[in-house]
Amino acid sequence: MQEIINKAKTLMEALPWIRNFYGKTIVIKYGGNAMVEEHLKVGFARDIIMMKYIGLNPVVVHGGGPQIGKVLKAMGKESRFIQGMRVTDTETMDVVEMVLGGKVNKEIVGNINRHGGRAVGLTGKDGNLIVAHKMEMTAVNPDTLTPEIIDVGMVGEVESINPEIITGLENANFIPVIAPVGVGLSGETYNINADLVAGRVAGALKAEKLILLTDVEGVKGKDGRLISTIDVQRVPDLINDGTITGGMIPKVNCCVDAVEEGVKKAHIIDGRMEHACLLEIFTDKGIGTAIARF
């Protein structure tokens, strides 16, 4: 009997959060181990379905780097990265589009639909959802100590998001699942970092929350302890003093940009934890690191 009562208490704890977020849009960047381990894939699909059934509007933006690398390796093509970006020539871009827009996207859509949801897969080419331009990267030449442009191929930056197709799907009770492939003004295809796409989509939709699923707990201090909240104004200082380093810098900056564009709160959470999204949204304490104007 006590176990049943505890379940009821858990539901009651979620009630005010359900009321607060009813009808609101939540953008979730789906990646890392949560996309690889079978029980986490099923759990994620069911979490997304639950959000939709209780009145939220989840929008999923997914990655797929390991899956792309696996296909390229099978083709005998080496993956090269510069400053964390995959060098994307024409042949690699074809693989990226095939894997992200085809295999990975449809697997996520299939998981959601198989467990009772109504998901629709998109890439940035659909309805000109993600208009992009070529990313310009620079590095300092060690001999001349001057900046030089680095060509990483068809790697793109988001120029604009056209949210009408997403809101149309939301209004029809579908769950949009977006692959981070953008389209240029001349119809060219671009490979774009999924975190950046998720942030820009959240900003364009003025989402209530942006959630980045990662393979770490969140942002940690120099003492190794999780930082539960960060005011956007503190971020530059935390980067300058070495608290936020490495691959966490672009994720945090993505969250800051989203908040600056109107997202209420951004979260970096551990996708390796079962039901991570539900724990963040519907519990009093939440998990991971929240970034907002506090």
Side-chain angles (χ1 to χ4, degrees):
M1 181 60 68
Q2 187 59 47
E3 184 179 348
I4 296 173
I5 293 172
N6 288 339
K7 287 182 179 179
K9 288 181 177 178
T10 300
L11 291 172
M12 292 308 297
E13 181 182 338
L15 179 59
W17 303 111
I18 294 172
R19 183 174 62 243
N20 288 344
F21 300 138
Y22 186 86
K24 303 293 179 61
T25 295
I26 312 289
V27 177
I28 301 136
K29 187 270 179 168
Y30 181 39
N33 280 321
M35 283 183 62
V36 176
E37 297 183 24
E38 194 59 37
H39 74 287
L40 292 176
K41 290 195 289 186
V42 172
F44 177 80
R46 296 179 70 182
D47 290 355
I48 294 298
I49 294 165
M50 181 176 175
M51 289 182 208
K52 192 67 175 178
Y53 275 140
I54 60 180
L56 282 67
N57 291 315
V59 176
V60 178
V61 178
H62 65 82
Q67 293 89 336
I68 294 167
K70 186 176 179 180
V71 172
L72 289 171
K73 184 177 180 180
M75 295 171 55
K77 190 174 181 64
E78 180 185 0
S79 294
R80 291 199 304 121
F81 294 87
I82 297 176
Q83 296 180 18
M85 297 294 176
R86 184 186 299 275
V87 177
T88 308
D89 58 18
T90 302
E91 185 180 35
T92 301
M93 188 65 244
D94 288 342
V95 173
V96 168
E97 188 169 16
M98 175 185 70
V99 173
L100 291 182
K103 183 180 186 303
V104 175
N105 187 272
K106 301 314 172 191
E107 180 183 359
I108 298 167
V109 168
N111 274 341
I112 293 172
N113 291 345
R114 188 165 63 254
H115 289 89
R118 300 173 72 219
V120 173
L122 305 164
T123 76
K125 287 184 169 182
D126 294 306
N128 281 340
L129 171 60
I130 306 169
V131 177
H133 58 262
K134 184 180 175 68
M135 176 180 283
E136 292 187 0
M137 295 180 62
T138 60
V140 175
N141 185 309
D143 297 324
T144 64
L145 300 180
T146 57
E148 293 183 350
I149 295 175
I150 302 172
D151 187 359
V152 289
M154 303 305 291
V155 175
E157 290 183 300
V158 177
E159 188 163 311
S160 63
I161 300 290
N162 297 315
E164 292 86 357
I165 188 170
I166 301 175
T167 54
L169 289 169
E170 287 181 337
N171 293 335
N173 288 318
F174 286 101
I175 300 167
V177 179
I178 303 168
V181 174
V183 61
L185 296 177
S186 300
E188 62 273 35
T189 307
Y190 288 107
N191 176 23
I192 311 176
N193 178 276
D195 289 341
L196 300 180
V197 170
R200 291 296 300 273
V201 167
L205 294 171
K206 299 296 183 282
E208 184 73 16
K209 287 181 180 289
L210 166 67
I211 298 176
L212 303 184
L213 292 179
T214 67
D215 288 340
V216 295
E217 285 184 79
V219 179
K220 292 187 176 182
K222 291 183 178 180
D223 59 1
R225 299 176 64 181
L226 180 70
I227 303 175
S228 59
T229 59
I230 299 175
D231 191 298
V232 291
Q233 294 181 327
R234 288 188 60 214
V235 169
D237 290 338
L238 292 174
I239 293 174
N240 290 335
D241 71 13
T243 300
I244 300 172
T245 60
M248 189 56 73
I249 292 175
K251 290 184 182 299
V252 170
N253 283 336
C254 166
C255 292
V256 170
D257 290 344
V259 171
E260 297 289 356
E261 288 189 22
V263 176
K264 294 285 183 63
K265 192 176 288 187
H267 304 263
I268 299 173
I269 69 174
D270 191 348
R272 300 169 300 178
M273 184 181 295
E274 286 191 81
H275 307 299
C277 291
L278 297 187
L279 290 170
E280 174 51 54
I281 297 170
F282 298 123
T283 62
D284 292 340
K285 292 184 178 180
I287 60 173
T289 300
I291 299 170
R293 293 191 181 279
F294 292 103

